[in-house]
Amino acid sequence: MATSRATGRALGPRLLTYVESKKNLAGSACGLVGVALTLTGVAGTYWPLVVAGLYGAGALVAPPEVPAPPVPPEPAEQLGFVREDFARLQEYVGEVDLPSEPAGVLTGLLDLYAAMLEPGWVAGVLAADPEAVHALTRAIRTDVPECVDTYNRTRWWTRLTAGGESPERHLERQLTLLREEAERMTADLRETEARRQQTHTTYLEGRRET
């Protein structure tokens, strides 16, 4: 009984979707032509086959349904997802044994990310800049994990084949570049907030003069 009810609930939305689809509308229109032919006596005794055939033909030639493009989340909503990814990133890198120099750079980088993502006015400024949200999302979800993963893989091979620049040096350089990017991002956000403050000051001064 419970399975039957669950199946019925699952079929309900699908049936409603098909009823409203272009295929059903086109098939129904052609089926009505078959009904008209039946009423005029053209279809004769084979009218059920005529109606069904015209319905099927109409449904077949109907253009396919074009799915609606996905609606991207608002920047403020996306920050919530980024915070979840950042928490997973912190947990992951906390389990990786890194040399002191790259570990220090990584700590500073993660501190910058945490400051930008902390709920409050700073996150509000960040959420108002979709490009900054995209850059931060890419760094947390892709760039930093890729740096650490590549270091781990390269370090393993280095144990077998010596020579070349050390994986630690590459990792430190990569993390330094990401930290410089994050510092530029925070500087841009700070500049945006300074311009907003200046705009408000100008507005207040203009209101005083009127």
Side-chain angles (χ1 to χ4, degrees), residues 15-31 55 58-60 62 65:
L15 181 60
L16 181 60
T17 300
Y18 179 76
V19 168
E20 297 175 347
S21 69
K22 293 179 182 178
K23 286 187 176 296
N24 181 57
L25 294 176
S28 298
C30 291
Y55 176 89
L60 240 125
E65 297 288 335

Side-chain angles (χ1 to χ4, degrees), residues 4 19 67 77 82 133 163 165:
S4 300
V19 168
E77 180 185 358
V82 179
V133 173
E165 194 169 7

